[in-house]
């Protein structure tokens, strides 16, 4: 028993060491140094000190928690704190260059299905036409005349919303205000909220999923103008218009209403989501939605009409739609009436830009049926504001003004790429307004060089993989001694670029993976160039683009190999095999953390050797650079064939990790520079060059007023800077809440205001364009009217 007791005490209760054995930790109280004459440290003392520390920590936490429980906040303080912490959960702008976004892959898939299956085979507009109700020769599901008897009528137009939550809510907040006070050069105008809201399509990006419609489109509008208390999001309107209680006719409802046409993004699923959320629901926030179909005609006061056309993915109206509007013109539209044509795409600009001709049915409707009565065409799709007005000449003018306003929430597009547009339908036009200005637009494009990677960090995944594939076959570079032999800098540089050229020739002659990657990249680069450019120029641009990328990849590859070779030559790497880090760890452990009782040896014996083996190989996994250097040395000595498949996989994986980090800033810089050159010098890639910047600023909508004389006043209201932080609007929160009150009757209808009051869009909104369309004004169309 005495022997057993002595063995137990010596093995388990013996001192774990001396404070002198731990020089790095000798000042820590936990070891008990200086407590007595002996400097031996007992394990019992260590356990005691640990428990005391845990008790103190528990005591502090318990007392602090108890204090919080015994000193609760008052109801007023709690509510104030809760409101301060409340913020809207808006989604960010869509990352169009993300290599990991499932939403974007779904968008591509939906687009392929739509183009392959629906275009030319099945058209939702055909089904809508088959289900129309006809009374007195007019399709009642498409014609709405309940506005026609109103006086002093105001209505709004916006398009391309449903991208970033901040920008979409910014525009929705302005649309929801009972009136906007806008300063001019000599006064302050008060512009009341529109009785009607027209939305020109592309309601949610990047694809029309239920999630995107709810979070990117409905959510900002519901925050800006809340739906009625009885509204339920899941409710389906079977028999529209689903009028509020107590009303029997649509003309009796005096609140704001919304009519919406779909855009190309809304057609990616064959118009399914648009039909469910627009045509089968009754409320967009506080805007009532009476429409039943994706296209419609609105009869407004003083002889004004709005034709909302659905051009689908064909960029044109179908024959049933054409038949409805042509019959409406012949039977309902008077000779002195005025018509506003609303489409999603501004085909007058896009056809000019792409050297194309589209919308032939629309043009035929305007030229052969309306014959000068189309005073204004409005559209979205291009995310800026621009107005062209006709120049009086001897040519017939079918449309007086062409207006694009796609600033409803989506990323900004460049205006300067469309600055040279002059003619449409044989008439001359001039640019009257552009927002942002051509100069500002050109300056903003510079962000592709400076901010492309910051805005599109997910693009690193694609760019790094592409560069690694381009250089895969050139790893490792074993013969680099000639670069080090030169004494002068020019000699080093000459040898360096000679080696780059040799690597390029090696890729052409001996490589399979890298050559195939380069050819695929070349095909993609040529295809990426817009089709408006001639085939010869597309090839030239694609070859130059790929050449720069390939040169950069080869230079980066050689720089990385030179760095590894330099470290090996100076014995900083590949000095003691794959486990250098583990060996260093064991040396430090033996020097500073001795084990006089042999505890580590016993643990190793108990775990059957797993304890040191796991640490050893785990450290090798983290010592990637050493693994790469050692394997590179072995390849250079014995050839690539000396490696097993697993060894080769480990080597190329380690090379990929470092080369990916090394190359991603360069690939983003080169691609961003390519976009900048193309948009500012060649005026191509207007969509790609600005979707990369994801600019939420420069938002606008257009407000129309039909005055007592029947003239149409047009105001375009814009906000240069969109707030990024929002808080609960104290005016909205403090306004008395009545149970059944509709939100449009409130003085402060929007829930959130800018966290910086001076930056709130209500205070920063300004007029960027103002013009008047005279109802009685007739352009030169004498010979057309006489046909």
């Amino acid at each position: 028993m005495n022997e057993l007791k002595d063995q137990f005490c010596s093995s388990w209760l013996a001192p774990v060491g001396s404070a002198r054995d731990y020089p790095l930790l000798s000042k820590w109280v936990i070891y008990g140094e200086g407590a007595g004459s002996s400097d031996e440290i007992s394990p019992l003392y260590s356990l005691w000190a640990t428990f005391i520390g845990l008790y103190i920590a528990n005591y502090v936490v318990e007392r602090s928690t108890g204090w919080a429980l015994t000193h609760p906040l008052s109801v007023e303080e709690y509510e104030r704190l809760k409101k301060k912490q409340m913020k809207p959960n808006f989604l960010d702008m869509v990352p169009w260059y993300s290599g990991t976004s499932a939403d974007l892959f779904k968008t591509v898939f939906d687009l392929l299905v739509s183009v392959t299956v629906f275009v030319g085979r099945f058209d939702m507009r055909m089904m809508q036409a088959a289900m129309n109700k006809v009374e007195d020769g007019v399709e009642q599901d498409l014609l709405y005349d309940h506005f026609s008897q109103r006086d002093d009528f105001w209505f709004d137009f916006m398009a391309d919303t449903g991208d970033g939550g901040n920008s979409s809510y910014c525009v929705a907040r302005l649309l929801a205000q009972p009136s906007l006070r806008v300063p001019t050069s000599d006064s302050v105008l008060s512009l009341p909220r529109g009785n009607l809201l027209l939305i020109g399509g592309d309601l949610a990006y990047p694809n029309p999923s239920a999630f995107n419609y709810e979070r990117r489109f409905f959510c900002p509008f519901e925050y800006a103008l809340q739906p009625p208390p009885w509204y339920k999001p899941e409710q389906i309107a079977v028999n529209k218009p689903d009028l509020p209680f107590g009303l029997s006719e649509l003309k009796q409802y005096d609140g704001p209403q919304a009519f919406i046409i779909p855009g190309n993004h809304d057609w990616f699923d064959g118009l399914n989501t648009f039909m469910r959320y627009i045509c089968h629901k009754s409320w967009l926030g506080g805007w009532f939605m009476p429409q039943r179909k994706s296209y419609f005609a609105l009869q407004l006061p003083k002889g004004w009409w709005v034709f909302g056309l659905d051009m689908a993915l064909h960029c044109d109206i179908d024959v049933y739609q054409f038949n409805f509007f042509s019959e409406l013109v012949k039977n309902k539209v008077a000779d002195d009436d005025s018509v506003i044509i609303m489409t999603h795409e501004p085909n007058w600009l896009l056809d000019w830009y792409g050297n194309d001709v589209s919308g032939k049915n629309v043009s035929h409707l305007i030229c052969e049926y309306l014959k000068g009565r189309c005073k204004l065409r409005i559209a979205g799709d291009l995310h800026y504001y621009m107005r062209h007005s006709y120049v009086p000449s001897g040519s017939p003018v079918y449309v007086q003004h062409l207006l694009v306003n796609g600033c409803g929430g989506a990323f900004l597009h460049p205006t300067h790429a469309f600055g040279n547009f002059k003619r449409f339908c044989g008439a001359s036009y001039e640019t009257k307004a552009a927002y942002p200005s051509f100069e500002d637009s050109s300056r903003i494009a510079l962000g592709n060089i400076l901010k492309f990677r910051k805005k599109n960090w997910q693009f690193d995944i694609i760019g790094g993989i592409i560069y690694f594939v381009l250089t895969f076959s050139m790893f490792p570079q074993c013969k680099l001694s000639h670069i080090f032999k030169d004494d002068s800098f020019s000699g080093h540089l000459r040898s360096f670029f000679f080696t780059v050229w040799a690597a390029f020739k090696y890729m052409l002659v001996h490589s399979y993976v890298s050559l195939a990657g380069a050819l695929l990249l070349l095909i993609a680069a040529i295809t990426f160039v817009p089709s408006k450019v001639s085939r010869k120029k597309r090839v030239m641009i694609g070859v130059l683009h790929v050449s720069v990328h390939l040169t950069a990849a080869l230079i980066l590859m050689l720089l990385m190999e030179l760095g590894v070779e330099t470290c090996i030559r100076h014995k900083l790497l590949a000095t003691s095999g794959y486990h250098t880090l583990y060996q260093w760890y064991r040396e430090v452990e033996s020097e500073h953390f001795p084990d006089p009782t042999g505890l580590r040896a016993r643990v190793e014996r108990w775990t059957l050797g797993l304890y040191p083996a796991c640490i050893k190989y785990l450290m090798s996994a983290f010592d990637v650079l050493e693994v790469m250097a050692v394997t590179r040395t072995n390849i250079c000595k014995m050839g690539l064939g000396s490696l097993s498949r697993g060894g080769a996989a480990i080597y190329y994986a380690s090379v990929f990790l470092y080369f990916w980090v090394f190359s991603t800033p360069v690939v983003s810089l080169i691609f961003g520079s390519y976009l900048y050159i193309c948009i500012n010098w060649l005026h191509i890639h207007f969509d790609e060059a600005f979707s990369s910047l994801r600019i939420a600023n420069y938002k606008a909508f257009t407000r129309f007023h039909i005055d007592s004389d029947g003239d149409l006043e047009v105001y375009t209201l814009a906000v240069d800077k969109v707030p990024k932080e929002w808080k609960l609007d104290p005016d909205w929160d403090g306004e008395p809440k009545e149970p059944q009150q509709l939100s449009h009757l409130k003085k402060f209808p929007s829930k959130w205001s800018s966290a910086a009051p001076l930056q709130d869009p209500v205070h920063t909104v300004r007029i960027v364009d103002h013009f008047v369309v005279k109802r009685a004004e007739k352009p030169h169309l004498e010979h057309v009217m006489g046909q």
Side-chain angles (χ1 to χ4, degrees), residues 603-764:
V603 172
E604 181 177 352
R605 188 167 58 253
W606 294 338
T607 59
L608 302 178
L610 290 178
Y611 160 67
C614 289
I615 295 179
K616 182 178 181 180
Y617 288 102
L618 188 62
M619 287 188 172
S620 296
F622 282 97
D623 196 11
V624 178
L625 192 58
E626 183 69 21
V627 171
M628 180 175 62
V630 172
T631 309
R632 179 183 181 278
T633 302
N634 294 337
I635 293 174
C636 291
K637 288 180 179 179
M638 297 176 287
L640 188 61
S642 62
L643 293 182
S644 63
R645 288 186 178 181
I650 292 174
Y651 170 70
Y652 284 110
S654 61
V655 169
F656 170 74
L657 289 176
Y658 275 86
F659 189 70
W660 183 84
V661 174
F662 200 35
S663 62
T664 47
V666 178
V667 63
S668 295
L669 177 64
I670 292 176
F671 188 72
S673 301
Y674 164 80
L675 293 177
Y676 171 76
I677 292 172
C678 286
I679 189 58
N680 270 18
W681 295 0
L682 306 177
H683 287 181
I684 60 176
H685 287 310
F686 76 91
D687 203 16
E688 296 83 355
F690 270 60
S691 62
S692 62
L693 298 177
R694 301 165 64 189
I695 297 173
N697 297 324
Y698 300 100
K699 292 296 158 273
F701 71 96
T702 301
R703 179 156 289 178
F704 301 88
H705 176 218
I706 301 176
D707 63 18
S708 57
D709 296 328
D711 296 337
L712 183 69
E713 290 186 278
V714 185
Y715 302 88
T716 295
L717 308 174
V719 173
D720 296 336
K721 187 174 180 60
V722 171
K724 297 180 180 179
E725 297 291 335
W726 305 89
K727 66 177 182 179
L728 191 67
D729 190 343
D731 294 325
W732 176 88
D733 188 53
E735 189 172 4
K737 306 291 190 298
E738 298 181 13
Q740 297 300 317
Q741 183 184 22
L742 296 175
S743 57
H744 72 270
L745 300 175
K746 296 180 179 180
K747 184 178 179 181
F748 304 100
S750 300
K751 185 174 182 179
W752 309 105
S753 60
S754 174
L758 295 179
Q759 295 181 4
D760 194 276
V762 174
H763 304 308
T764 60

Side-chain angles (χ1 to χ4, degrees), residues 1-6:
M1 289 295 294
N2 291 332
E3 292 179 358
L4 180 61
K5 183 182 70 172
D6 293 340

Side-chain angles (χ1 to χ4, degrees), residues 217-228:
F217 179 51
F218 276 82
C219 178
F221 278 83
E222 289 175 353
Y223 278 142
L225 194 65
Q226 285 75 44

